[in-house]
Each structure stands twice: as C-alpha cells, then as structure tokens.
Amino acid sequence: METAEFETDLSLFKYDNLEQLPPAYRELGEDERTERIEAALERLGDDVVILGHNYQRREIVEHADFIGDSYQLSKEAADSDADYVVFGGVTFMAESADIITDDAQSVILPSMEASCPMAGMAEALQVDAAWAELTAETDETIIPITYMNSYADLKAFCAEQGGLVCTSSNAHKAFEYAFEKGDKVLFLPDKHLGENTAHRLGMEDEIVDWDPWDPEGTTAEEAVDNDIILWEGYCQVHERFREGHIESIREAQPDANVIVHPECRREVVEAADVSGSTATICEKVADADPGDTWAIGTEIHLTHHLQRWHPEVNVVPLCGDACMDCNAMRQIDPNYLAWVLEELVEGRERNVIEVAPEEKELARVALDRMLEI
Ligand code: 13P
Ligand code: SF4
C-alpha cells in the first residue's frame, strides 16, 4: 500500500475548511456523498473500522462503527484488528489510537486540520523548559499528570518524569496515584479539570494557577509552595458556560437537572447538579425517566445526538443557541471522510497519524499507568 504525502497547513481557527480536499470532493452534496461513503465501506469491509467521537457531527457518527468518548474509542481501537482505523475526532485522539494499536494498523484522521486548541496550550518543549524552572525550586518530588487531551510527546514527557495520563473520569484516581509516588502534582493542560479534581479530593486549598510566561503572575518559587500546580490551559468550548446560564435554565425549567463537563469553570461545576465526563453525561440521559429534563453543559453536537437518541427525554442545551460546537471537531467534514475512504479503496493511505517510535513507547507507559489505576 502506498502512503501518500498530502500537503497540510495546520490552522486552529479556520472554520469548516475544505481547502485540503481535492476540488471534486469539495462540492459533493449529501446524497451523493452518503452513497459513495457507503459504497467505499462495503468495498473495504472488515479492513476498516470507523470511530466517531460524541462531538462529531451527525453525518460522521451515522457512519461510525463505534461512537464514544476519547477513552472508549481508544479502547475500541485497541480491540480492533482492522487494517485501517479511521478516527472521527481530533489529532490527540488519533495519536492515542496509534499508540495502542499494532504497528501494522494505520490510523487515519480524515482532516489534518482537526487539532484541539487546548492540547496545543501545553507543547512538550514549553513544558520541558517550565519543568526545569519548577524542579530547580524544590527538593520535593513533583509528578506530572497530563489530561488525555494532549499530544503524544507530552504524554511521553510525563512518563519519563514518573507521571501518567488521565481522562475526565479518572483524574481523581490519577491524583491519588501521584500523591502516593510524590509530594506535588503538576497538572496539564486543563486548569479547570485540575481545579475541579482538587475540590473533589478536598484539596482545594492546595492549588495554584501557574503560567510560566506571565511576568506578573505566580513565580516558580511561589508555585512550589502548593501541592497542586495547574498549567494555564482551558477548553474554549467548555469555558464558555457561566453560572448565569444555569440560573436562567432553572428559572425557565425548574425541574431541569443540570449536568456539565468538568472542563467547565469551577463556579459552573458547583452550580450544576452533576458534573461528569462525556460518558457520564451519556449515561445520565440514557438512564433518565421519560419526561425528565436534562440541561447539558458540553459540546453542542453531543447535546443534539442525545436529543435524537433519547426523544422521550427533554434534552436541552445549557446555554441555548449560544452553546458552541468544537471548531477542531468540526474540521472533520464528511466530504473528507468520503475522500479518505475512496482513496483507501484505490490503495492509497491519506492523512495517516504516526507517532514517532521512541515517543510511542514512552507515551504508552503513561497510558498504561492510567489503565492500571
Ligand atoms: P472526552 O472524550 O474524554 O470526554 O474528551 C473529549 C473532549 O475533547 C472534551 O472536551
Ligand atoms: Fe479540545 Fe475543547 Fe474541542 Fe475537546 S471540546 S477537542 S478540549 S477544544
């Protein structure tokens, strides 16, 4: 099989960008595209598995063999023996799939533009430099923990320093693991998940926000006076929710249950009835009684899927029309899916995500540590 090079211009903020597609694919209408995707899938049979993250649009998840959050999809990737894993998600998820699948399997990301801005807020090189500053200020052991939403080289860095990876559903366990091994935690890149986890563990008085590049902010010397050091990263989609949205929903629909993702700000998590990972949000709605109302504080596509999948439940977006979709997730236009699949039928692999072997090995250690907790 030929591995084709395709020029990409990685950009975080272009919306719905079809520029990297061959022109014939840019104009495909929905009916023709659906037909062609189905025909390609028929030809490829068991050679391909399509994974669809919950935040992907309907036209992607309707073709997925498995739909789930990043953790569930990584497990599906690991269990699959398909030659090609086509990942409807963002780069860090496809990287994680590449880390845990066999070397003979190829992981394909339909659009190389699908890069999570939060993962980009903690580049391994930056963290390496900041780590040197931090560790120079203390003799105590700091354990780095990175959220799954980070690149493979940062996962590898954490493994090298005795740390691990976590997801939003097991961050508290990762903290417990770290405090058994060391004295302090550096949590990357999502400060809100870190803060919410510290509260869950009753360690809210031990946290400090640290931005090594802010000349006015906390210094490394001050940061190490605290047990939990939070990197200055956040998700633009989840940061948008405010307590006011919860107040408005409660006024308009007093029976509503409010659930938010732990990437939301602390005050939003406190005001909600429940905070939970993507998988927890899906479970709560699936287990709801008919007629119950659930207001959802997360990426808007998931809210829309839940409305379609559970019509007996009143599922509402927490901030109405102001709720955001994730721009990175949205880069996976279904026309890209049609293209990568038809290229596979022709024997050409496009947009293969390959983690460098030395990083792969270490990142795997960080992921395995997470699986053991
Ligand atoms: P999970 O799939 O782990 O919930 O995270 C995806 C994500 O990007 C949350 O913002
Ligand atoms: Fe990244 Fe937020 Fe999008 Fe998740 S929702 S992929 S954290 S930008």
Side-chain angles (χ1 to χ4, degrees), residues 55 90 92 116-118 149 235-238 263 299 326 328-329:
Y55 297 175
V90 293
F92 74 79
C116 163
M118 181 165 74
N149 301 23
C235 163
Q236 296 154 334
V237 176
H238 290 93
E263 285 175 21
E299 205 272 349
C326 168
M329 289 279 179

Side-chain angles (χ1 to χ4, degrees), residues 18-53:
L18 295 179
E19 272 171 32
Q20 305 300 334
L21 263 181
Y25 283 88
R26 291 182 205 159
E27 310 298 329
L28 277 185
E30 180 159 3
D31 290 347
E32 185 187 352
R33 177 184 65 221
T34 304
E35 233 171 74
R36 285 171 60 170
I37 290 175
E38 283 170 1
L41 287 173
E42 179 94 28
R43 292 273 302 274
L44 293 163
D46 292 343
D47 288 349
V48 70
V49 65
I50 311 261
L51 304 180
H53 190 271

Side-chain angles (χ1 to χ4, degrees), residues 12 117 128 166 324:
L12 300 180
D128 205 1
C166 73
M324 271 179 82

Side-chain angles (χ1 to χ4, degrees), residues 143-192:
I143 305 287
I145 304 176
T146 186
Y147 190 21
M148 185 74 122
N149 301 23
S150 58
Y151 290 111
D153 50 0
L154 183 59
K155 292 183 172 94
F157 171 86
C158 288
E160 255 182 323
Q161 304 300 336
L164 73 167
V165 174
C166 73
T167 68
S168 55
S169 48
N170 59 23
H172 60 292
K173 290 193 195 162
F175 274 55
E176 284 163 358
Y177 168 98
F179 282 115
E180 267 169 35
K181 293 218 146 190
D183 309 302
K184 297 181 187 299
V185 160
L186 171 64
F187 187 74
L188 312 128
D190 185 9
K191 62 178 176 183
H192 297 305

Side-chain angles (χ1 to χ4, degrees), residues 28-259:
L28 277 185
E30 180 159 3
D31 290 347
E32 185 187 352
R33 177 184 65 221
T34 304
E35 233 171 74
R36 285 171 60 170
I37 290 175
E38 283 170 1
L41 287 173
E42 179 94 28
R43 292 273 302 274
L44 293 163
D46 292 343
D47 288 349
V48 70
V49 65
I50 311 261
L51 304 180
H53 190 271
N54 293 111
Y55 297 175
Q56 290 281 298
R57 40 178 123 174
R58 174 186 57 75
E59 300 92 320
I60 296 293
V61 297
E62 71 188 7
H63 296 295
D65 296 292
F66 300 102
I67 303 169
D69 65 10
S70 55
Y71 180 67
Q72 291 166 323
L73 293 180
S74 304
K75 281 181 31 193
E76 293 298 346
D79 291 346
S80 163
D81 48 16
D83 294 343
Y84 310 111
V85 176
V86 176
F87 211 120
V90 293
T91 321
F92 74 79
M93 298 178 187
E95 278 189 348
S96 299
D98 182 50
I99 291 164
I100 56 184
T101 48
D102 291 348
D103 287 346
Q105 293 172 289
S106 298
V107 177
I108 289 174
L109 188 66
S111 166
M112 297 300 242
E113 303 266 341
S115 295
C116 163
M118 181 165 74
M121 290 175 191
E123 301 270 358
L125 270 177
Q126 290 177 306
V127 176
D128 205 1
W131 180 257
E133 240 186 272
L134 209 56
T135 48
E137 296 294 345
T138 178
D139 292 332
E140 292 190 288
T141 309
I142 307 175
I143 305 287
I145 304 176
T146 186
Y147 190 21
M148 185 74 122
N149 301 23
S150 58
Y151 290 111
D153 50 0
L154 183 59
K155 292 183 172 94
F157 171 86
C158 288
E160 255 182 323
Q161 304 300 336
L164 73 167
V165 174
C166 73
T167 68
S168 55
S169 48
N170 59 23
H172 60 292
K173 290 193 195 162
F175 274 55
E176 284 163 358
Y177 168 98
F179 282 115
E180 267 169 35
K181 293 218 146 190
D183 309 302
K184 297 181 187 299
V185 160
L186 171 64
F187 187 74
L188 312 128
D190 185 9
K191 62 178 176 183
H192 297 305
L193 177 61
E195 183 177 359
N196 287 321
T197 306
H199 275 261
R200 180 170 175 171
L201 295 172
M203 298 185 73
E204 60 273 18
D205 296 333
E206 314 289 339
I207 49 183
V208 65
D209 286 354
W210 185 50
D211 175 355
W213 287 273
D214 178 2
E216 313 286 312
T218 305
T219 63
E221 191 185 359
E222 289 160 352
V224 295
D225 278 343
N226 301 271
D227 286 347
I228 299 175
I229 302 160
L230 304 174
W231 190 261
E232 179 56 43
Y234 57 90
C235 163
Q236 296 154 334
V237 176
H238 290 93
E239 234 203 12
R240 197 177 168 92
F241 295 102
R242 295 288 192 280
E243 279 173 283
H245 295 129
I246 300 185
E247 284 157 19
S248 304
I249 271 283
R250 292 205 200 284
E251 254 171 54
Q253 308 199 46
D255 294 339
N257 303 285
V258 177
I259 185 163

